[in-house]
Amino acid sequence: MSKAIRIHAQGGPGVLSYEEVAVDAPGPGEIRVRQTAVGLNYIDTYHRSGLYPLPNLPSGIGLEAAGVVEAVGDGVANLKVGQRIAYGAGPLGAYAEERNLPASKVVPLPDSIGDQQAAAMMLQGMTVEYLIRRTYPVSAGETVLFHAAAGGVGLIACQWLNHLGVTVIGTVGSEEKAELAAAHGCHHTINYRTENVPEKVAALTDGVGVPVVYDGVGRDTFHASLDCLQRRGLMVSFGNASGPPPDINPAILTQKGSLFLTRPTLMDYVATEQEMRNCAAALFEVVGSGAVQIRVNQTYALAEAQQAHEDLEGRKTTGSTVLIP
Ligand SMILES: NC(=O)c1ccc[n+]([C@@H]2O[C@H](COP(=O)([O-])OP(=O)(O)OC[C@H]3O[C@@H](n4cnc5c(N)ncnc54)[C@H](OP(=O)(O)O)[C@@H]3O)[C@@H](O)[C@H]2O)c1
């Protein structure tokens, strides 16, 4: 038997239950992993709360971890017992000491990337890869707006955008977070609790606006984000940290300058094994070169997942967080 967090009903952090679970031998195409670090992500709170429905209850939770291969099932040729691996796009059930998952969902870890670092970066880092290279491929010299710049996705985005020669305007909820974002390559910070974001963006862009806004905050920022875009700009609404974005009439996109709107998810950008491997390889390259540094700003024991969720939803965390089984 081993330990895992399970949920029997969706709701507040109290539904996260630390339990004994049996882990079978891996099936065909699967590996069993002893996990050493589990990534905490905002999407875990949506799976827990019910904002995102789950196919079956009770259910495991969590999409990201690093660890060591303990056993391989039939047909797995590319991984060996003892090999270090990580994953960041599920399947659900990462909050666990041990688990089985498809070999096609994991990547081998280079020696240069530690387990905690891997668990801190796979989901958030692959997200940054697809947002800035594939959803709206940024170009050197452009200025973009990235919300929650001191968060997990945010700190990776600031560094990667900076590395690509892009000027980053980042929103933050406090002075400390502004300093942290600036130290990670965010050129201009806006405290969206106290400042008018469209006015500041206009001032920083000679009144033109930005070609793209990356908005993972959702409800509280959605309309202001549209007001920060230049004509024919792209609104990338990729999360709901403050709640889901409002329903909109498409005519608003016309009124604000023939804007484009997309609501992407990582799962559609790493939908095939090859896409996932390419995405992870691009992340490993910028981390390996030192252009993007991954620091784990918070760690919790896996058994303390409730507290970790409360702190993440309470805006108490910065950067990436890992749970230690
Ligand atoms: N679509 C995708 O493929 C994808 C993939 C990964 C992540 N995401 C989304 O990206 C966003 C960031 O994810 P993350 O895991 O890196 O989280 P995070 O940014 O570390 O945490 C969320 C941050 O949002 C800000 N925020 C603003 N208003 C908030 C509110 N009312 N309640 C809570 N937080 C609020 C807070 O920063 P301040 O205090 O500075 O405001 C908070 O720290 C989330 O919306 C997540 O769902 C989407």
Side-chain angles (χ1 to χ4, degrees):
M1 297 292 270
S2 73
K3 295 281 195 180
I5 300 277
R6 309 262 302 156
I7 61 172
H8 295 259
Q10 292 179 300
V15 303
L16 298 168
S17 164
Y18 190 56
E19 298 176 0
E20 296 243 302
V21 292
V23 182
D24 299 335
E30 287 188 336
I31 55 171
R32 192 175 70 227
V33 180
R34 171 157 294 282
Q35 304 198 130
T36 49
V38 174
L40 176 75
N41 291 286
Y42 221 93
I43 192 172
D44 306 343
T45 71
Y46 312 146
H47 287 142
R48 189 215 69 223
S49 70
L51 180 63
Y52 290 0
L54 291 176
N56 298 300
L57 286 171
S59 172
I61 188 165
L63 298 172
E64 173 180 50
V68 179
V69 178
E70 263 190 341
V72 297
D74 287 346
V76 177
N78 59 332
L79 294 168
K80 295 195 294 272
V81 171
Q83 198 165 357
R84 296 174 59 242
I85 59 91
Y87 59 94
L92 275 172
Y95 287 21
E97 289 177 344
E98 263 184 309
R99 72 174 300 191
N100 290 322
L101 79 169
S104 60
K105 292 288 194 178
V106 310
V107 289
L109 272 182
D111 291 344
S112 57
I113 296 177
D115 290 14
Q116 289 196 22
Q117 203 184 13
M121 73 180 206
M122 291 298 296
L123 193 155
Q124 293 166 350
M126 291 199 296
T127 297
V128 173
E129 187 283 327
Y130 89 76
L131 288 175
I132 70 172
R133 293 179 11 133
R134 292 188 280 151
T135 304
Y136 177 90
V138 295
S139 303
E142 286 182 313
T143 299
V144 307
L145 175 62
F146 210 104
H147 284 298
V153 174
L155 286 185
I156 297 173
C158 289
Q159 296 176 82
W160 202 331
L161 287 163
N162 197 38
H163 172 62
L164 295 176
V166 174
T167 299
V168 187
I169 306 173
T171 57
V172 290
S174 71
E175 265 322 295
E176 299 72 47
K177 290 187 180 187
E179 282 169 27
L180 188 68
H184 287 76
C186 184
H187 301 83
H188 307 282
T189 55
I190 304 175
N191 184 334
Y192 47 15
R193 290 189 195 234
T194 57
E195 295 179 281
N196 181 304
V197 178
E199 275 176 25
K200 272 218 86 172
V201 169
L204 289 165
T205 57
D206 295 328
V208 174
V210 289
V212 61
V213 177
Y214 297 104
D215 188 341
V217 171
R219 182 163 56 208
D220 290 356
T221 46
F222 186 87
H223 284 294
S225 294
L226 297 183
D227 290 333
C228 294
L229 284 164
Q230 59 186 229
R231 189 168 281 131
R232 302 191 301 272
L234 175 64
M235 167 69 170
V236 183
S237 173
F238 71 98
N240 326 277
S242 65
D247 292 340
I248 61 150
N249 177 342
I252 197 172
L253 303 174
T254 321
Q255 289 153 15
K256 292 183 186 279
S258 300
L259 303 178
F260 293 82
L261 167 65
T262 183
R263 199 332 183 167
T265 172
L266 173 64
M267 305 311 156
D268 285 322
Y269 282 81
V270 295
T272 66
E273 185 175 347
Q274 194 55 52
E275 281 175 342
M276 190 273 290
R277 293 195 184 289
N278 292 347
C279 185
L283 173 64
F284 288 174
E285 192 181 312
V286 288
V287 172
S289 74
V292 173
Q293 298 189 4
I294 307 293
R295 288 196 194 84
V296 178
N297 285 2
Q298 295 79 212
T299 57
Y300 300 81
L302 179 61
E304 293 167 4
Q306 290 187 8
Q307 185 64 51
H309 276 225
E310 282 169 18
D311 291 349
L312 182 62
E313 291 175 298
R315 304 168 81 163
K316 292 187 181 146
T317 65
T318 59
S320 304
T321 302
V322 299
L323 309 174
I324 308 297

